[in-house]
Amino acid sequence: MTTVSDVSGPRLVAGGAARHGTAGSRRPAAAAPTTLTSEHGDVYVEPGLTPLAAREANRSALVTLLDQAGVAHFAVRGTADHGTVVGVAEEDRERALQALFRGLGQYPGHLSVVDPEAPRPARPVSSRDPRAWREVASARVVQVSWYRTDAGRHLLLGHEYGCAVEFWQRSGTHLVAPRANRATWAVAADGTNVMGAARLFSRFVSDWTPRHLAPALPTRPEFLVHCADDIAFAVDAVYTWVDGNDPVWQRRKARAKGEAYHAESASDARFISRDELRYSIRSLHMFAPWIRNIYVVTDDQVPEWMREDLFGIRVATHREIFRNPADLPTFNSHSIESQLHHIEGLAEHFLYFNDDMFMGRPVAPHAFFTPNGTARYFPSRNRIPQGAVAETDTPVDAACKNNRALLRERFGKVITQPMEHIPYALRRSAMEEAEREFPEAWARTSASRFRAMTDLSPTSSFALYYAALTGRAQPGSMPFTYLQLAVPDLAERLQRLLDGRDQDTFCLNDAFSTPEDIEAQQELLDDFLTSYFPTPSPFER
């Protein structure tokens, strides 16, 4: 997945998306699709583009060609999550290749011959180029794709989202695979197809992924096995969000009793809504379609752009989740985070996002949880300062010191690292247990209207270490970027992030910006976020 800033050539007005693969389409349309010409070859413009939509479009286009030619096929549980694989009996090779030749003649795409023993995959070649067809007559595997981009040309979803055709050799009563897959080397030659859940064929898909993006596929019974590395449990996402520009909320904050002990605690930058939530949810829609439900925790606020009438997203108010109503109103993220596990209907496994955290590319749930349900946490390279809480501590350091003291007293072990700004993988049961085990500290944090010297940091540290010390979490790592917005070279850093698109997650944090900074930053952020996440989620009005 790359940007297409180098794509040149006119965009045609006929048609719309690449017609062979739009959701719900089962056959190529007669009208010409909107096409760009570039150094990449033919690139089809597709509104609403996501990696999963490109993957399904390519699969649908290819199997439609096979169906039209009367070639039997079955979905294979391949080892790559981005693309799909179909198996075809070797004796049907000629008809299958003729179908591909006709289809790629009408709608040019890309082709590569896959050698399972080669140290590197072959480069895809435009189907317009005669060289693309030289070795297909004897190839064990052929991968086909139609490159796609969004209307603004920000994304290029290429060959990795294609569909591979494997030619299975007959051996006695079985068909034998030309390369390894996730389940079996052979299927019954005279077997019949059954329907297999979409999650069997990619780790980017779950039972809660929209069916038009990830339909059940015709496969063989041999692939309907629950593998040891499958994740079948539900994973939810939780956000905390505030619109600091809301005058009603501002009045509540002005009336609240208690003093912010540190300048960072009261900084208006901590409460500004830059519309990050909209784009963070877009990042889930584009890159984590396996999320079951999204919960947005607010102080009786609803983002003006957000739809509330759809399954899969819900606002959970502070009044709903706080066990002690006397703790409200609160303007302390630590306080709010201490109550997240009280959200009604929340899954045992969930990811907690600040609204300035984003998925940066397709990420599987395995990045955050092991198949047996163990959560992963991501320790920082920084270290928690030594000694007791001091007046000069930042709110983050003070909370980490409080976490350390409680955990050392209970478990006899010392935590030394805070966590990176990566979505926090949490176990609901671990948070419930931690609240029961440390009721005084938990209640004190819940009751702090602003960040206080006595706070714990429940989600970003304490609950993660508590889960680890009780056998429910383990350390992990992933490519990520943390970008503080109040830096002089913000434009250059955002551009590098946009050009690379090589981070699993990133955080655009803002705790110290002045009003002058904010005004200058906003245009940069608007351009960056709309370019990185050009496809609206279904939850936007």
Side-chain angles (χ1 to χ4, degrees), residues 333-366:
S333 61
H334 291 155
S335 168
I336 299 163
E337 291 162 3
S338 75
Q339 305 296 305
L340 297 183
H341 55 290
H342 297 311
I343 296 173
E344 184 178 356
L346 181 65
E348 164 66 10
H349 302 84
F350 68 99
L351 299 181
Y352 170 55
F353 289 75
N354 301 130
D355 64 2
D356 58 6
M357 293 176 175
F358 307 84
M359 297 293 193
R361 61 182 177 181
V363 179
H366 300 68

Coordinates of all heavy atoms in Angstrom, one line a residue, residues 333-366:
S333 N -8.6 12.4 32.6 CA -8.6 11.2 31.9 C -8.4 10.0 32.7 O -8.9 8.9 32.5 CB -7.6 11.3 30.7 OG -6.3 11.5 31.2
H334 N -7.5 10.1 33.7 CA -7.3 9.0 34.6 C -8.6 8.5 35.3 O -8.8 7.3 35.4 CB -6.2 9.3 35.7 CG -4.9 9.5 35.2 ND1 -3.9 10.3 35.8 CD2 -4.2 9.1 34.1 CE1 -2.8 10.3 35.1 NE2 -3.0 9.6 34.1
S335 N -9.3 9.5 35.7 CA -10.6 9.2 36.4 C -11.5 8.5 35.4 O -12.1 7.4 35.8 CB -11.3 10.5 36.9 OG -12.6 10.3 37.2
I336 N -11.7 9.0 34.2 CA -12.6 8.4 33.2 C -12.1 6.9 32.9 O -12.9 6.0 32.8 CB -12.6 9.2 32.0 CG1 -13.2 10.6 32.3 CG2 -13.5 8.6 30.9 CD1 -13.0 11.7 31.3
E337 N -10.8 6.8 32.7 CA -10.2 5.5 32.3 C -10.4 4.4 33.4 O -10.5 3.2 33.1 CB -8.7 5.6 32.0 CG -8.5 6.4 30.7 CD -7.1 7.0 30.6 OE1 -6.3 6.7 31.5 OE2 -6.8 7.7 29.6
S338 N -10.5 4.9 34.7 CA -10.7 3.9 35.7 C -12.1 3.3 35.7 O -12.3 2.3 36.4 CB -10.6 4.6 37.1 OG -11.7 5.4 37.4
Q339 N -13.0 3.8 34.8 CA -14.4 3.2 34.8 C -14.7 2.6 33.5 O -15.9 2.1 33.3 CB -15.4 4.4 35.0 CG -15.1 5.2 36.3 CD -15.3 4.3 37.6 OE1 -16.4 3.7 37.8 NE2 -14.3 4.2 38.4
L340 N -13.8 2.5 32.6 CA -14.1 2.0 31.2 C -14.6 0.5 31.2 O -15.5 0.2 30.4 CB -12.9 2.0 30.3 CG -12.3 3.4 30.0 CD1 -11.2 3.3 29.1 CD2 -13.4 4.4 29.5
H341 N -14.2 -0.3 32.2 CA -14.6 -1.7 32.2 C -16.1 -1.8 32.6 O -16.6 -2.9 32.6 CB -13.7 -2.5 33.1 CG -13.6 -2.0 34.5 ND1 -12.9 -0.8 34.8 CD2 -14.0 -2.4 35.7 CE1 -12.9 -0.6 36.1 NE2 -13.6 -1.5 36.6
H342 N -16.7 -0.7 33.0 CA -18.1 -0.8 33.4 C -19.0 -0.5 32.2 O -20.3 -0.5 32.4 CB -18.4 0.3 34.5 CG -17.7 0.0 35.7 ND1 -17.6 -1.2 36.4 CD2 -16.9 0.9 36.5 CE1 -16.9 -1.1 37.5 NE2 -16.5 0.2 37.6
I343 N -18.5 -0.4 31.0 CA -19.3 -0.2 29.8 C -20.2 -1.4 29.6 O -19.6 -2.5 29.5 CB -18.4 0.1 28.6 CG1 -17.7 1.4 28.7 CG2 -19.3 0.1 27.3 CD1 -16.7 1.7 27.6
E344 N -21.4 -1.2 29.5 CA -22.3 -2.4 29.3 C -22.1 -3.0 27.9 O -22.1 -2.3 26.9 CB -23.8 -1.9 29.4 CG -24.8 -3.1 29.3 CD -26.2 -2.6 29.4 OE1 -26.4 -1.4 29.7 OE2 -27.2 -3.4 29.3
G345 N -21.9 -4.3 27.9 CA -21.7 -5.1 26.7 C -20.3 -5.1 26.2 O -20.0 -5.7 25.2
L346 N -19.3 -4.5 26.9 CA -18.0 -4.5 26.5 C -17.4 -5.9 26.5 O -17.6 -6.7 27.4 CB -17.1 -3.6 27.4 CG -15.7 -3.4 27.1 CD1 -15.5 -2.7 25.8 CD2 -15.0 -2.6 28.2
A347 N -16.6 -6.2 25.4 CA -16.0 -7.5 25.3 C -14.9 -7.7 26.3 O -14.3 -6.7 26.9 CB -15.4 -7.7 23.9
E348 N -14.6 -8.9 26.6 CA -13.5 -9.2 27.5 C -12.1 -8.6 27.0 O -11.3 -8.1 27.7 CB -13.3 -10.7 27.7 CG -12.0 -11.2 28.3 CD -11.8 -10.8 29.7 OE1 -12.7 -10.3 30.4 OE2 -10.6 -11.0 30.2
H349 N -11.9 -8.7 25.7 CA -10.7 -8.2 25.1 C -11.1 -6.9 24.3 O -12.0 -6.9 23.5 CB -10.2 -9.2 24.1 CG -9.8 -10.5 24.7 ND1 -10.8 -11.5 24.8 CD2 -8.7 -11.0 25.1 CE1 -10.2 -12.6 25.4 NE2 -8.9 -12.3 25.6
F350 N -10.4 -5.8 24.7 CA -10.7 -4.5 24.0 C -9.4 -3.7 23.9 O -8.5 -3.9 24.6 CB -11.8 -3.8 24.7 CG -11.5 -3.2 26.0 CD1 -11.2 -1.9 26.2 CD2 -11.6 -4.0 27.2 CE1 -10.9 -1.3 27.4 CE2 -11.3 -3.4 28.4 CZ -11.0 -2.1 28.6
L351 N -9.4 -2.8 22.9 CA -8.4 -1.9 22.7 C -8.9 -0.5 23.1 O -10.0 -0.1 22.7 CB -8.0 -1.8 21.2 CG -7.4 -3.0 20.5 CD1 -7.1 -2.8 19.1 CD2 -6.2 -3.6 21.3
Y352 N -8.1 0.2 23.9 CA -8.4 1.5 24.4 C -7.5 2.5 23.6 O -6.3 2.4 23.6 CB -8.2 1.7 25.9 CG -8.3 3.1 26.3 CD1 -9.4 3.9 26.0 CD2 -7.2 3.8 27.0 CE1 -9.5 5.2 26.4 CE2 -7.3 5.1 27.4 CZ -8.4 5.8 27.1 OH -8.5 7.1 27.4
F353 N -8.2 3.4 22.9 CA -7.6 4.5 22.1 C -7.8 5.8 22.8 O -9.0 6.2 23.1 CB -8.2 4.6 20.7 CG -7.9 3.4 19.8 CD1 -8.6 2.2 20.0 CD2 -7.1 3.6 18.7 CE1 -8.3 1.2 19.1 CE2 -6.8 2.6 17.9 CZ -7.4 1.3 18.0
N354 N -6.8 6.7 22.9 CA -7.0 8.1 22.9 C -7.4 8.5 21.5 O -7.1 7.9 20.5 CB -5.8 8.8 23.4 CG -5.3 8.4 24.7 OD1 -4.1 8.1 24.9 ND2 -6.2 8.3 25.7
D355 N -8.1 9.6 21.4 CA -8.6 10.0 20.0 C -7.5 10.5 19.1 O -7.7 10.7 17.9 CB -9.8 11.0 20.1 CG -9.3 12.3 20.7 OD1 -8.2 12.5 21.0 OD2 -10.2 13.2 20.8
D356 N -6.3 10.6 19.7 CA -5.2 11.0 18.8 C -4.3 9.8 18.4 O -3.2 9.9 17.9 CB -4.3 12.0 19.5 CG -3.7 11.5 20.8 OD1 -3.9 10.4 21.2 OD2 -3.1 12.4 21.6
M357 N -4.8 8.6 18.6 CA -4.2 7.3 18.2 C -4.8 6.8 16.9 O -6.0 6.8 16.8 CB -4.2 6.3 19.2 CG -3.4 6.6 20.5 SD -3.7 5.3 21.8 CE -2.5 5.9 23.0
F358 N -4.0 6.3 16.0 CA -4.5 5.8 14.7 C -3.8 4.5 14.3 O -2.7 4.3 14.6 CB -4.2 6.9 13.6 CG -4.7 8.2 13.9 CD1 -3.9 9.1 14.7 CD2 -5.9 8.7 13.5 CE1 -4.3 10.4 15.0 CE2 -6.3 10.0 13.8 CZ -5.5 10.8 14.5
M359 N -4.6 3.6 13.6 CA -4.0 2.5 12.9 C -3.3 3.1 11.6 O -3.9 3.9 10.9 CB -5.0 1.5 12.5 CG -5.7 0.8 13.7 SD -4.6 -0.2 14.6 CE -5.7 -1.1 15.6
G360 N -2.1 2.7 11.3 CA -1.4 3.3 10.2 C -1.4 2.4 8.9 O -1.1 2.9 7.8
R361 N -1.8 1.1 9.0 CA -1.8 0.2 7.9 C -2.6 -1.0 8.4 O -2.9 -1.1 9.6 CB -0.4 -0.1 7.4 CG 0.5 -0.8 8.4 CD 1.8 -1.1 7.9 NE 2.7 -1.7 8.9 CZ 4.0 -2.0 8.6 NH1 4.5 -1.8 7.4 NH2 4.8 -2.5 9.6
P362 N -2.9 -1.9 7.5 CA -3.7 -3.1 8.0 C -2.9 -3.9 9.1 O -1.7 -4.2 9.0 CB -3.8 -4.0 6.7 CG -3.7 -3.0 5.6 CD -2.7 -1.9 6.0
V363 N -3.6 -4.0 10.2 CA -3.1 -4.7 11.4 C -4.0 -5.8 11.8 O -5.2 -5.6 11.9 CB -2.9 -3.6 12.5 CG1 -2.3 -4.3 13.8 CG2 -2.0 -2.5 12.1
A364 N -3.5 -6.9 12.1 CA -4.3 -8.1 12.6 C -4.5 -8.0 14.1 O -3.6 -7.4 14.8 CB -3.7 -9.4 12.2
P365 N -5.5 -8.6 14.7 CA -5.7 -8.6 16.1 C -4.5 -9.3 16.9 O -4.3 -9.0 18.0 CB -7.0 -9.3 16.4 CG -7.2 -10.1 15.1 CD -6.6 -9.3 14.0
H366 N -3.8 -10.1 16.1 CA -2.6 -10.8 16.7 C -1.6 -9.8 17.1 O -0.7 -10.2 18.0 CB -2.0 -11.8 15.7 CG -3.0 -12.8 15.2 ND1 -4.1 -12.6 14.5 CD2 -3.0 -14.2 15.4 CE1 -4.7 -13.7 14.2 NE2 -4.1 -14.7 14.8

